[in-house]
Every structure is written in C-alpha cells, then in structure tokens.
Amino acid sequence: MLVRYIRYSVQLMLLVSIFLFDEPRRKHFSLRLAGSLILYFGVTCILAYLWTWIQNGTGVVVPFVLSSIINFTVMFAMMLGIIYLCFDVKPIDVLFDGTGGYALQHAVFCFVTIVTYFTGSFDTSTALGLFLDYALLRILPYVFVMLIFYFYVIKPRRIKGELEYKNKTMIFFSVIIFLVAVILNEFAFFIPGESTTLSSTFTSSVVCKGYSLICCVVSLALQFTISKSEKIEHDKYLQERVFEIQRSQYSISKETVELFNIKFHDMKHMIDVLGSGDYSGKEDVIKSLKEEVSGMGMIFDTGNKALDTVLMQKSLVCQSNGIRLSCMADGQLAKIIEDMDLYVLIANILDNAINAVKQLDKDRRSIDLTIGESGGAWLIRCENFCGKDTQFVDGLPVTDSDKRYHGFGTRSIVHTAEKYNGAARMYQEGDVFHTDVIFPLG
C-alpha cells in the first residue's frame, strides 16, 4: 500500500508541476517547498501504516474503495495546500493547476491500464521485470506526457495569455466531472466476480478505465477551452474600451486641428498686411515669422480629413521629440475605410514607430510613411529604426513589459485590417522595423 501511494504521489507531482513552471513563486520558495514535501510524504506514510494497522491490528475490515478514496482525497488536498503555500497564486488558480495535473495523471494511469490489459505486464517477481515495470509503465509514460503537454498545450497558451482568465463556474463543473470519474473508477475494483471472470476484468480494466479517461480529457478540455474563451471576451472588452477612448480623442483632435489651422491662416493674413506697409527693418523679422508659422502648421492635404487630422497630430508629436517624419500619402482611396477606423489605424502605426525611435540617437530618429495604391491594392507602409531585435509571437511583436502579450495598438492594427478583408504584416530586417497593411480595392 505504501509503495502504491508513493508511486501515485510522484506521478501526481510530475504532472502538476507542468502547470506551475511559469507561476510566480512566494518568498523563501525553496524552504517552503522542502518543508511541504517532507510533510506530504510523512502524512502519506502515516496513512499507509494507519490503514494497515486498522485492518491487521484491530481486525476491523475497511473496504478498499473507502480507504483509497479517503487517502487520495487527503493527498490531493495536501497537494493543493502545497501549491498555495509555495506559489503566489489565487485560490482559483490553485484549483485549476491542481485538478488539471490530477486529471492528467489519472488519464495517463487509465491509458496505461488499458494498454497493459491487452499487451500484458512485466513479471515483477524478477529484478529486471520489476525495473521494466516501473521504468516503462510507472514513470516513462508520465514523463513523456508531461513534456508533450507542457510544450504543446500549456506553454503556448501561457504566452498568449489564455490561462490568465478562468471561469469559476465552468472550472467547478469540470472538477465535479473529474472527481465523479475517479470515484467510479475506484468502485470498479468491487465489481462482483472481478477476480475470476474475464468479462468483469475487461469491465474494470478497459470499460471503466476508458470511461474515466474520457472524463479526464473532457475535464481538461473544459478548463482550457473556457480559459481561451474568457481571454477572447476580455480582449474584446478592452478593445471596445480602447476604441471608445480613441474615438473621443479623434473628435477632440479634429476640432483642435481645425481651430489650429484657422488661427494660422488668420496669422498669415495679418503678416501679409503687415508686410504690405512701409516698415523698414521689419522684413527679416516678417520673413522669419512666416517660415516659423508655416513650419509649425504642418498642414497635410491628402484628400481625406481623417488622414489629414492624424498626420497633423502625429507630426507635432514627432517634432516635439526630434523625430523626422517623412510622409507620402494619397488619401483619395481611403474612402474604403471609415474615418474613425482610418484615424485609429494610422495613429497606432505611428505611435508604435514613435515609441521605437524616440529612445534612439538623434540621427536615427526617422520614420518613413507611405500611403497609396500599389499593385491594385491600397498599401500603408511604415518603416522606422529599432534599437534591438524584436521578439515575435504568432507573427506579432510582443511588448517589453510582458512577453506574453501583444500591445493593444498592435492588435488594433490587425483587427482593423481584417475588418476590411485586408492583412497586416510586421517584421524586422536588420535594424529597420516594417509595418505593412494592405487593403483590396473594389
């Protein structure tokens, strides 16, 4: 019994650990973990000897299924306690990680049981047979599943941020499904005639284990699918909030730019009037003032008001940061996109470029923006220097603050492109970062 419990504990810890690799750890993690493991295996040994003493020392007959359910429940509860004690996570995360690892361990156990029913097991009466039994059936399958599940299921979803959002109700139902499967699996040992008839052996080793395996897979699928769905809903909500804010900014910016241009237009007329009189010695001042006003105006006339507005606004930002903005823009074809979406799209592209170059040396603070027709499509192309190699996940750059997330601006660019059946591509060549957004015409 003790060997069975320790073997189960090692298997459980292996598969729970893959859910915890990337979780934040509490202070004095090593000390907490060492103390928890000592307590865990100490209680496991006590439970094994306790049931042995009750049955052999007192003569009280305790059903095997009852002792197994009690022991595994206590050991699983202790595992949850270890997770909470050693890792800085919320209770819902503890439940997600613990039940996920437990479901995975039980799924592998059921699969191995089914396979060995048809292939036969090793002769554990010999040293070689015992070694092969533990290595190939008790340890290796769990290590194999551990590596595959971590690198192909858990890690990609953590990078995408899909495991940050969990639905408590669905996780609860997932846990219930899993626990019912485990408990029914234990009752399979007590099918009448199990030890003597081939049909009942098939029932407990194949039918019941197959049922438990399916339940475990469903439980895991529920947890991961709902987490992904919650992430999508969260991103959708944030995206809508970003659009609301940017829509408000667009309205304010448009009014500001219009007022700004009117003021500069009036000032130029005043200067012209001033220059028409006989004011000797004022010519140089007037000329200098005209040049300064014209330079500050940065008035764009692309044929699209929304495009003019955002270019005007961002050019002033570039000017204040010592950034050279070179822009060749034809907004005549921009009518294929709504003004609000066009404003947000160009603003996000230029914001990303401005953030990248404003930290560089002055001679590298330049942005080249080209907007116009190319190959029967409407192309927006932005090129800017970048100070270091950019990391990409799923073709999109990740932010420095958190490698698991793409910036909202980047996702907004992709969202806007896809909204109009277009495509967005971001890539780096040498020390130049490229953003291409293309829309079909017609």
Side-chain angles (χ1 to χ4, degrees):
M1 184 177 290
L2 177 61
V3 174
R4 181 184 180 219
Y5 291 161
I6 292 178
R7 183 179 65 216
Y8 158 81
S9 299
V10 172
Q11 294 168 350
L12 179 61
M13 288 182 179
L14 281 175
L15 294 173
V16 169
S17 66
I18 62 176
F19 288 81
L20 303 172
F21 284 157
D22 303 310
E23 297 285 22
R25 300 174 179 179
R26 296 187 186 274
K27 292 182 179 180
H28 311 298
F29 171 78
S30 299
L31 185 61
R32 288 171 179 265
L33 181 61
S36 299
L37 292 179
I38 292 173
L39 178 62
Y40 179 89
F41 283 106
V43 173
T44 300
C45 294
I46 292 173
L47 285 174
Y49 283 113
L50 177 63
W51 291 117
T52 302
W53 175 78
I54 291 176
Q55 292 183 355
N56 298 334
T58 65
V60 177
V61 178
V62 180
F64 179 77
V65 63
L66 179 60
S67 64
S68 294
I69 291 175
I70 293 175
N71 285 356
F72 289 144
T73 301
V74 171
M75 293 161 69
F76 178 62
M78 286 195 298
M79 180 62 67
L80 296 180
I82 292 175
I83 296 173
Y84 187 75
L85 182 66
C86 297
F87 295 88
D88 189 12
V89 292
K90 300 177 182 177
I92 188 67
D93 297 313
V94 173
L95 190 61
F96 180 89
D97 296 336
T99 55
Y102 195 177
L104 199 57
Q105 183 274 336
H106 194 69
V108 177
F109 167 73
C110 292
F111 178 77
V112 171
T113 302
I114 294 172
V115 171
T116 54
Y117 173 81
F118 291 104
T119 62
S121 56
F122 296 99
D123 182 9
T124 56
S125 61
T126 65
L128 178 60
L130 184 63
F131 172 78
L132 293 175
D133 179 75
Y134 270 84
L136 300 182
L137 299 179
R138 314 297 181 183
I139 300 298
L140 189 59
Y142 296 87
V143 174
F144 177 77
V145 171
M146 168 188 172
L147 296 175
I148 295 297
F149 202 82
Y150 175 73
F151 285 105
Y152 289 95
V153 179
I154 294 179
K155 189 173 182 179
R157 283 164 174 76
R158 283 211 185 277
I159 292 175
K160 295 178 182 179
E162 293 178 3
L163 300 185
E164 300 300 315
Y165 308 96
K166 302 176 178 69
N167 185 294
K168 296 180 181 179
T169 303
M170 292 310 299
I171 289 181
F172 173 77
F173 281 114
S174 175
V175 171
I176 294 299
I177 292 172
F178 163 66
L179 292 179
V180 168
V182 172
I183 292 173
L184 290 179
N185 175 75
E186 293 298 325
F187 277 102
F189 287 103
F190 288 87
I191 296 175
E194 172 68 24
S195 61
T196 58
T197 64
L198 182 62
S199 60
S200 58
T201 302
F202 177 83
T203 301
S204 65
S205 298
V206 179
V207 176
C208 290
K209 293 298 187 292
Y211 170 78
S212 292
L213 174 60
I214 293 173
C215 287
C216 290
V217 172
V218 170
S219 175
L220 288 168
L222 273 176
Q223 290 187 225
F224 283 93
T225 301
I226 295 302
S227 294
K228 182 176 181 179
S229 176
E230 289 289 311
K231 172 66 165 52
I232 292 173
E233 288 298 319
H234 180 77
D235 285 354
K236 182 180 178 181
Y237 168 76
L238 291 180
Q239 194 72 63
E240 290 174 351
R241 292 290 299 138
V242 169
F243 279 146
E244 286 180 14
I245 294 171
Q246 290 174 326
R247 187 177 292 109
S248 175
Q249 289 177 340
Y250 169 64
S251 178
I252 295 172
S253 297
K254 185 177 180 180
E255 294 174 1
T256 302
V257 169
E258 289 177 353
L259 180 61
F260 194 57
N261 289 336
I262 291 172
K263 291 294 184 183
F264 272 110
H265 187 265
D266 292 344
M267 289 177 65
K268 287 179 181 178
H269 276 295
M270 292 173 64
I271 292 172
D272 287 338
V273 173
L274 181 63
S276 64
D278 184 13
Y279 297 96
S280 59
K282 300 291 185 178
E283 289 80 6
D284 292 339
V285 176
I286 293 172
K287 181 180 179 181
S288 175
L289 183 58
K290 273 191 172 184
E291 291 175 351
E292 184 177 353
V293 171
S294 297
M296 289 180 63
M298 298 286 287
I299 299 175
F300 291 87
D301 186 14
T302 66
N304 183 281
K305 291 296 184 181
L307 189 55
D308 294 344
T309 299
V310 67
L311 290 177
M312 173 76 170
Q313 183 187 35
K314 297 306 175 184
S315 69
L316 295 175
V317 176
C318 288
Q319 194 175 60
S320 65
N321 286 276
I323 299 171
R324 181 186 65 83
L325 174 61
S326 175
C327 179
M328 295 180 60
D330 179 6
Q332 295 294 333
L333 298 175
K335 60 184 179 181
I336 63 175
I337 302 177
E338 294 180 6
D339 285 350
M340 182 60 225
D341 289 334
L342 177 62
Y343 175 88
V344 172
L345 175 63
I346 301 300
N348 283 325
I349 291 174
L350 289 177
D351 282 342
N352 288 345
I354 291 169
N355 289 333
V357 301
K358 70 181 181 180
Q359 306 296 334
L360 305 180
D361 296 333
K362 291 184 178 181
D363 60 338
R364 302 180 70 204
R365 295 183 187 177
S366 64
I367 300 171
D368 294 324
L369 180 66
T370 305
I371 303 175
E373 185 178 2
S374 176
W378 194 56
L379 175 66
I380 301 172
R381 173 167 290 166
C382 183
E383 299 175 345
N384 60 271
F385 288 108
C386 50
K388 56 185 177 180
D389 291 338
T390 305
Q391 296 185 27
F392 291 82
V393 175
D394 295 335
L396 297 178
V398 294
T399 60
D400 290 332
S401 59
D402 193 336
K403 301 300 182 184
R404 295 176 293 179
Y405 298 101
H406 309 301
F408 289 123
T410 300
R411 279 182 286 178
S412 177
I413 293 171
V414 175
H415 174 80
T416 303
E418 293 176 346
K419 179 179 178 180
Y420 295 94
N421 298 318
R425 182 188 177 208
M426 302 170 201
Y427 59 100
Q428 182 176 350
E429 290 181 343
D431 58 353
V432 178
F433 188 87
H434 302 260
T435 300
D436 292 344
V437 183
I438 190 168
F439 298 94
L441 295 176

